[in-house]
Amino acid sequence: MKYIYALFLFIISFLFVSCNKSIDYEVKLTENVFSPNIPFEFITNFDYDEVNIYIDNSPVNDFISPGDFYIKNLKSGKHDVKLLFKNSGDEITSYATDFFYDGDAPEVSIIKNYLDKGILKVSFDFDENDVNFIELYNNDTIIATSNSKNIEFPLYKDSGIINLSFKFYDDFMNYTQKKISINTDEDSAPVVNSDKIRINIFGDANFDFTDDWDSELKLFIKKDGDYFFPYEINPSSNFNTEILVYDSNNNFSTKNVDINMDNKIPEMVDISSRLISKDSGFISWEFDPFFNEYEIEYFTKNFGWQSSIITGSSFVEIGNSEITFVRKVSENGTRGFPSVPVFKFSSSFLPYASGILEDISENTLLTQINSPFIISSDLLLEKNRSLFVESGTSIRFFADSRLIIRGNLFVMPGAAKTLFFGSGSIIMDGGNLIISKADFNNINITGKVGKLIFLEDVNFENSLLDISNISRFISYNNNFSNTTVNLENLFDFYSIDSKFEVLNIKNLFYGLIKDLTVKIFNIDFKSKIASENSNIENLNLNNFSFFKSFNDKILNAQINNFSLITGIEESFSENISNNSGVVTNNDE
């Protein structure tokens, strides 16, 4: 019986050893590189009770077995590792390999840090290959991450001392920490960085400065021992002088700089083509060697006519814009008169036979040969539809009928004049009105909403223009001598070589006029206009309005209620009265 039992134990032991020897033991390190912040880990295809680890033949005692551990205080570089796996105290297998240890944190230095216009700007120097990402902390709270050498972060004035720290991590989570403290209760004097101050036609100054909290400064220019706002000076040439700048906390600094001021309005751009098909993507214009920049404007729903592209060339691709303007931009930032509008039209038109016009629901063409056309009742030009009128066409209105513009009315320029006559009105109702070379007789233009009114070579007789809430009004070479023109709530207004009997403008954001002739010119409620070579018989400036004059002849001027007129030369002004307004004349 003992013999049988012993034989049984021998067989069991033999089978156990044979099974163990048949296992193909596999051990693999999870990484090729470890660091103080990346744990030393490995995986196996077998179970074990204990593992002994030796790094460079030295035992590692600080670890949990089985499991992982962090290697500390090891020299960076290549190291040997040996793993001995055991079950019940008996070694079952071993594994030897090598790995790379990176315990070096990135080297980082702060080049500069400063506050500019409420933004903390910090610049660092480090090897980009050694920094993976950066964490920004406010005290112990992480507030941002980055991987840039230049970090900007907004701060708020009078918030006390802000303690910021930056942690720079490499690929193996080694990090270097840099700390900055900012006292937001302090306010330093501004610093002017520019050596040249550029001032546009309205006296808006463009220069580079640094101030810890303010994004705008009060600028004064020294002249004849006194200091003036830029808009109060009307120079005939550039000059060098001292400037004085103040921030909102009355901190100030001075500097001697060159002053470059515009004293004339840039001319209109000469466009090569006014009409382009929808398949054409480019427009071009005559290049002016005195201007390095041209501004391309499109209409935007929320902001009206806005700059979309600045280019130095004489052509541009306009994309899907229906109407485009091009403007010269001076080195001092003055945007000149807009070009004639460039209209991108559909290639398909429906010619309209002669007779009474009905609502325009398709793109339609009125030809001279089929005129006259009759508008006998209210007629709607629908939104997103265009009515093209060939030059020389006649359109007659009956019984105070109305042409309501929600789409585009385009009267083409040509050899013959287009005639609008009878008794009626064109009503702006959200659309665009573009008219060239036409006569209006007893036909009014009114309305309370619209994108654009462009009038060129148009003569008005016994008519009224009463328009509000139009984004842009342009008058080039028109005659309103027997017409009253009322314009209210406009974003911008432009006029070249036009004659007005009575011109009333109220609440205008931006206006440019040149060679204007007007008997009565009323400007009201925060309107801003620059004028060049105009003849104004009676100018009334009211309620916080501003009028910048360049070589104008003004016979009588009334300046009221905190309004300002500047640039007036006494030889051109026979009678200026002032009632709570300001008149300045500081010619260089």
Side-chain angles (χ1 to χ4, degrees), residues 47 70 124 198 245 267 385 396 406 413 455 496 554 574 578:
D47 295 327
Y70 290 89
F124 302 97
R198 296 190 177 278
V245 291
E267 299 285 348
R385 295 294 178 261
R396 184 168 185 175
R406 293 179 184 170
L455 304 173
I496 299 177
I554 302 174
E574 297 185 13
N578 180 12

Side-chain angles (χ1 to χ4, degrees), residues 243-263:
I243 62 168
L244 177 65
V245 291
Y246 279 90
D247 66 14
S248 60
N249 202 39
N250 287 328
N251 300 305
F252 70 91
S253 63
T254 62
K255 185 176 182 178
N256 266 73
V257 297
D258 292 326
I259 303 293
N260 280 23
M261 298 185 72
D262 284 335
N263 56 13

Side-chain angles (χ1 to χ4, degrees), residues 382-478:
E382 293 184 6
K383 187 177 181 180
N384 299 323
R385 295 294 178 261
S386 297
L387 176 60
F388 286 84
V389 181
E390 186 182 18
S391 64
T393 301
S394 296
I395 300 176
R396 184 168 185 175
F397 290 72
F398 277 98
D400 295 327
S401 54
R402 304 186 305 170
L403 172 56
I404 302 170
I405 308 296
R406 293 179 184 170
N408 306 301
L409 175 58
F410 191 101
V411 179
M412 304 178 188
K417 282 192 172 184
T418 299
L419 303 179
F420 292 84
F421 64 102
S423 176
S425 300
I426 296 176
I427 308 296
M428 296 298 296
D429 192 24
N432 298 300
L433 184 64
I434 303 173
I435 299 177
S436 297
K437 202 165 186 178
D439 282 341
F440 276 69
N441 194 335
N442 203 35
I443 303 299
N444 302 324
I445 300 177
T446 63
K448 293 187 176 180
V449 62
K451 303 173 187 175
L452 169 68
I453 294 179
F454 175 85
L455 304 173
E456 177 189 37
D457 298 320
V458 180
N459 184 66
F460 289 88
E461 291 283 345
N462 304 314
S463 301
L464 171 69
L465 273 72
D466 192 4
I467 301 161
S468 59
N469 304 310
I470 301 295
S471 293
R472 173 168 288 181
F473 188 101
I474 300 178
S475 171
Y476 291 163
N477 195 34
N478 299 304

